[in-house]
Amino acid sequence: MLIILVQLLISLTLLSLKDVEIYIDSLGLTLLILATTLIAASGYVINDLYDITADRINKPSQQIIGVIVSVAKAKKMYALLIFSGVCLGFINSILIHLPWFTLYFIGCGVLLYMYARWFKSIAFLGNGVVSLLVFLSVILIPVFLIVSPTQISNTAMQWGVFYIFLVISLFAFGITFVRELVKDIEDLQGDHAAGYKTAPIILGSKRTERLTAYVIIVYVAILFICAFTFLKDEILSMTIIIVAIIFPLGYCGSKLWSGVHKKELSQLSIILKVIMFVGICLIPFWVHTILYA
């Protein structure tokens, strides 16, 4: 649902910009969002298939595969979802006359499988792959809607808008990376039973909490630099960034620095998800402010 929301918001934002050329119709946009959603759903299924052992400990009340849905049915569901998603992605790439864009959908499917099968058990690599996939799901719409119709006559405006969305995508990458580290700390017991080598298992919970706090500090500093670069004369925008994003991030960093209990880790994970949700909902505001204020 978060992927659908962010892609719809980005699409509506781009369609509202008068000086930006868009080369996609409502059918193509629908297929694009549907393809991404189906591939993301396939990622959840294959991840749960390989996470059965860990989930019995980490979230026994939320386990679906092996409890509500059999392993055999889950495998069939995964195959159907990934096949449908890639096919829709291929059709959409053909519609905009760039068939090689199909590699994006194939690549995301491969990354999701490799994450579930190998990467998530490796410290920092699994966190980085999930963050990269979130980044790709955000930047996908600008790539399809802005890059494909770019010509010599409109290069400056097209790429200027694209760079704004690139920064937004990097914001999503950073928040996701921090949240994945927090989830690894929270899931330490189950991941250890499953034989994973995540950061908390290698470094210990306390060191990983401190490391995550350092990452947040760096991330907050980058946000400040970006805000003052693009929005230094916009008091309202600066206030929103500080109150809705930087302060909550600072709170999460301070809690991790001082040490937290398992229940508090769950709360921090929710806060980080809310920060991302708020940032996504404000995408139209950020874009219009940077371009026209």
Side-chain angles (χ1 to χ4, degrees):
M1 294 303 295
L2 198 61
I3 289 173
I4 294 172
L5 174 64
V6 66
Q7 292 190 340
L8 280 174
L9 278 173
I10 291 174
S11 301
L12 292 172
T13 303
L14 289 171
L15 290 170
S16 69
L17 301 177
K18 298 178 180 178
D19 300 325
V20 177
E21 292 187 32
I22 305 296
Y23 186 68
I24 198 168
D25 55 17
S26 56
L27 174 62
L29 188 57
T30 302
L31 291 177
L32 184 59
I33 295 174
L34 186 57
T36 311
T37 306
L38 289 173
I39 292 173
S42 75
Y44 274 94
V45 176
I46 193 65
N47 186 64
D48 283 357
L49 275 167
Y50 283 106
D51 249 0
I52 292 175
T53 301
D55 286 347
R56 287 197 185 107
I57 299 172
N58 292 332
K59 46 182 182 180
S61 62
Q62 300 175 32
Q63 192 167 10
I64 296 175
I65 297 178
V67 179
I68 299 174
V69 178
S70 68
V71 172
K73 286 184 178 179
K75 288 180 179 179
K76 292 178 181 177
M77 186 184 300
Y78 165 73
L80 178 62
L81 288 168
I82 190 67
F83 178 76
S84 302
V86 172
C87 284
L88 288 178
F90 173 72
I91 292 170
N92 208 2
S93 301
I94 295 297
L95 289 175
I96 64 170
H97 309 294
L98 292 171
W100 63 271
F101 272 22
T102 309
L103 293 174
Y104 167 88
F105 302 97
I106 296 173
C108 285
V110 170
L111 273 177
L112 284 167
Y113 177 82
M114 294 179 72
Y115 168 79
R117 185 69 179 85
W118 296 291
F119 293 161
K120 70 181 174 186
S121 63
I122 303 173
F124 303 113
L125 179 59
N127 311 117
V129 169
V130 172
S131 303
L132 174 62
L133 287 163
V134 171
F135 168 87
L136 291 174
S137 70
V138 176
I139 202 64
L140 171 68
I141 299 294
V143 167
F144 267 75
L145 271 64
I146 297 178
V147 174
S148 54
T150 298
Q151 302 170 358
I152 296 176
S153 59
N154 64 1
T155 299
M157 187 62 178
Q158 299 288 107
W159 283 104
V161 174
F162 181 81
Y163 290 143
I164 294 174
F165 281 101
L166 184 62
V167 172
I168 293 171
S169 301
L170 290 171
F171 162 79
F173 178 96
I175 289 288
T176 304
F177 188 79
V178 169
R179 185 168 176 269
E180 286 297 310
L181 286 173
V182 171
K183 285 173 62 181
D184 280 351
I185 303 169
E186 186 181 3
D187 293 342
L188 173 63
Q189 189 176 357
D191 289 349
H192 189 274
Y196 298 163
K197 299 298 181 182
T198 59
I201 293 173
I202 294 176
L203 302 176
S205 295
K206 297 300 180 184
R207 287 182 179 177
T208 307
E209 288 171 10
R210 285 289 180 95
L211 176 63
T212 308
Y214 278 124
V215 173
I216 290 175
I217 291 171
V218 172
Y219 190 42
V220 167
I222 293 172
L223 282 175
F224 262 119
I225 292 171
C226 290
F228 277 103
T229 300
F230 295 110
L231 305 168
K232 59 182 179 180
D233 297 322
E234 299 297 321
I235 297 176
L236 176 60
S237 299
M238 288 293 297
T239 302
I240 291 173
I241 289 178
I242 292 171
V243 173
I245 297 175
I246 291 178
F247 276 177
L249 272 176
Y251 171 78
C252 292
S254 64
K255 292 292 291 184
L256 288 165
W257 183 266
S258 60
V260 291
H261 302 292
K262 184 176 176 64
K263 188 176 180 180
E264 291 177 307
L265 286 167
S266 180
Q267 293 172 351
L268 293 181
S269 182
I270 293 172
I271 291 172
L272 290 167
K273 187 179 286 188
V274 170
I275 292 172
M276 179 178 286
F277 177 77
V278 171
I280 287 168
C281 290
L282 290 170
I283 284 175
F285 174 75
W286 302 134
V287 175
H288 280 272
T289 300
I290 292 170
L291 286 178
Y292 301 120

